[in-house]
Amino acid sequence: MTGFTDIPGAVIGDDGIAHFGDAFREQRRLAAGGAIVPLDDRTVIEVAGPERLSWLDSITSQSVGRLAPGESTELLVLDPQGRVEHAAGVLDDGSSTWLIADAGDAEALATWLTRMKFRTQATVDVRPDLVLLGFVDGGAAADRALAAASAPAGAPLVWVDPWQRVSAGGHQYAETAEHPGAELDWRVAIATSEAADALAATLAADEVAGLLAAEALRVAAWRPRWSAEVDERSLPHESDWIRTAVHLNKGCYRGQETVAKVHNLGHPPRRLAALHLDGSEAVLPAVGDAVLAGDDEVGHITSVARHHEDGPIALAILSRRTPVGDLVVRAEGADIAATQQVIVPADAGATADIPRLTRLSRRPSAPDPRQAS
C-alpha cells in the first residue's frame, strides 16, 4: 500500500483500493484521462542481463528478441498443450526488461523463469519496492504519472497496453469493425514507492480512481486478464488473446504446436463473450456464477463490473456451441437476463487455406491413342 490510502474516501478491498467514494464518477474521470489508479493488484518483475530478450523470445509466445528500448508488448507462458500458465505486460528500456504481472501470478512466473535460465546470462527479480500507476493517455493524469515514473536507464518506464490494435504477428477473431479495445488508450507507469507517495500527496480527491473503475473499463474493452479469464483449461484463442500476446510466425516455443493446430486447422472448445446484464434487480453476479442457455449450463462468469455508460456488464467463457442469443446468469438469489455479444465466434480458427485434393476416379482411364497399334 502507498500514500494513496491516505487520500480521503479511500476504501480498501481485497486487492487494493477499490474506490474513493464514487466508482461511477471515478470511471468517467479515468476514461477522460483525468485520474490515476494505484494498481496494487499487479507486481513488477525485472529481467536483466545481455541475453534477456533472446531468452524470453525462446520460451514465451511473443516475439521479443528485437524489442526496442521503450517498446511495449505482452507475452504468455504456455504449457506443452498450449494452455495459458502465466501472462505479463512487457517493457524494455535497453538495460532491463520489465514484466507487469497480476499479483497472484508474479511469484509463480518469476519462479518458472528462474528455473528456465540454465546458463542464460539473465537475472529474474520480483520488485515489491516498485508501484504501478494506471491511467488513460491524453489527459492531465498522463503528465503527472509520467513525472512520477522511474527512469533507471534515462527514459520513464511507462508500459503501453497493446490491446488497442492487433499486434504484429497476431490475429483477431472478433468480427467487428469497431473493436471496443481501440477506445482504451491504457498506460501503466512504474514508479518507486517514494515517488508514488510524493505523487499521492499532491493529488486531489477528483484526480484518483480505484480498481473498480479500472476493471470496468477493461471489461468494456473485452480485455482478458490472467487473474480473471484464465483457468486450467484456457487456450489463448478462447479469449482472443492471439490479438496481442501471441506471434503466429515466430520460432518454436512451448505450446506452439497446439496454438498453430487450433488456429490453422481446428476451433477452440470455448469462447469469450460479453454480456449486458439486466440491471432491474440491482444484483450483480459473482465471478464463477453459471451461465445458462435455456436449461443447459453453457459457461461461467469470469469478470463483472458496473460501467458508467453501459450499466452492469460481464465477460463469460462459454462452450463453443452455445447458441448466439440471450442467456441467463444464475446468481445467488436471482436469475439475471443477459444479452450476449459474441467476441470469439464459434467458427474461430481453421484459418489455413488447404487445397482440396482431386478425387480419384475408379473408372478405368481411356486408352492413350499414342500407344495404339
Side-chain angles (χ1 to χ4, degrees):
M1 293 294 178
T2 64
F4 283 85
T5 58
D6 298 328
I7 296 175
V11 175
I12 311 301
D14 294 338
D15 300 319
I17 301 174
H19 60 85
F20 290 87
D22 190 335
F24 279 163
R25 187 161 54 187
E26 292 164 30
Q27 276 185 55
R28 294 188 186 97
R29 291 195 298 263
L30 181 62
I36 294 174
V37 183
L39 299 173
D40 294 322
D41 60 345
R42 295 160 221 205
T43 302
V44 180
I45 300 170
E46 181 183 7
V47 181
E51 296 178 341
R52 65 189 184 282
L53 289 176
S54 59
W55 170 60
L56 287 172
D57 186 89
S58 69
I59 59 175
T60 71
S61 65
Q62 189 55 271
S63 177
V64 297
R66 296 183 179 180
L67 196 67
E71 189 176 357
S72 300
T73 187
E74 66 174 330
L75 58 77
L76 302 175
V77 172
L78 308 178
D79 73 5
Q81 287 72 45
R83 296 181 291 245
V84 179
E85 289 192 334
H86 309 286
V90 185
L91 171 66
D92 196 82
D93 67 0
S95 296
S96 292
T97 302
W98 305 88
L99 305 181
I100 298 174
D102 285 341
D105 185 38
E107 289 289 348
L109 173 56
T111 298
W112 184 83
L113 290 172
T114 299
R115 288 204 312 265
M116 295 299 293
K117 282 196 318 176
F118 303 109
R119 296 185 179 181
T120 302
Q121 297 182 56
T123 60
V124 179
D125 295 292
V126 178
R127 295 292 304 271
D129 56 313
L130 296 175
V131 175
L132 294 166
L133 305 171
F135 61 98
V136 172
D137 198 28
D143 292 336
R144 308 290 292 276
L146 191 65
S150 182
L157 296 180
V158 178
W159 177 69
V160 179
D161 189 345
W163 192 247
Q164 278 196 293
R165 57 190 60 85
V166 181
S167 297
H171 182 90
Q172 176 177 302
Y173 289 139
E175 298 173 347
T176 175
E178 298 181 0
H179 195 289
E183 300 177 3
L184 185 61
D185 200 355
W186 185 244
R187 304 281 193 270
V188 176
I190 302 174
T192 64
S193 56
E194 294 80 9
D197 287 347
L199 172 63
T202 69
L203 294 174
D206 63 351
E207 295 176 308
V208 290
L211 293 174
L212 290 178
E215 279 296 279
L217 298 187
R218 177 186 72 83
V219 173
W222 303 349
R223 212 267 188 258
R225 276 187 72 179
W226 177 90
S227 61
E229 279 64 53
V230 172
D231 60 23
E232 69 280 357
R233 298 168 54 196
S234 296
L235 297 173
H237 318 67
E238 297 175 342
S239 54
D240 214 8
W241 225 341
I242 292 180
R243 194 171 186 272
T244 54
V246 176
H247 196 292
L248 293 169
N249 302 316
K250 61 168 282 183
C252 293
Y253 59 90
R254 191 172 71 165
Q256 183 198 29
E257 183 176 355
T258 298
V259 168
K261 184 180 296 183
V262 173
H263 179 68
N264 292 321
L265 303 175
H267 304 289
R270 303 184 300 176
R271 60 181 183 83
L272 189 68
L275 302 182
H276 292 266
L277 306 171
D278 178 10
S280 61
E281 297 292 334
V283 175
L284 268 185
V287 171
D289 281 350
V291 179
L292 286 76
D295 295 329
D296 298 326
E297 183 173 331
V298 294
H300 65 277
I301 297 293
T302 59
S303 298
V304 63
R306 291 190 187 275
H307 192 267
H308 68 285
E309 292 179 341
D310 298 336
I313 56 175
L315 296 176
I317 287 288
L318 309 175
S319 166
R320 181 173 73 88
R321 298 188 182 278
T322 300
V324 175
D326 292 347
L327 303 170
V328 171
V329 179
R330 182 143 291 168
E332 184 177 356
D335 281 357
I336 303 171
T339 300
Q340 177 188 173
Q341 188 171 6
V342 174
I343 297 176
V344 176
D347 61 354
T351 61
D353 184 15
I354 301 175
R356 292 181 178 272
L357 294 177
T358 302
R359 184 181 295 274
L360 298 178
S361 173
R362 294 186 177 182
R363 291 178 300 177
S365 59
D368 189 340
R370 292 173 299 179
Q371 298 178 359
S373 55

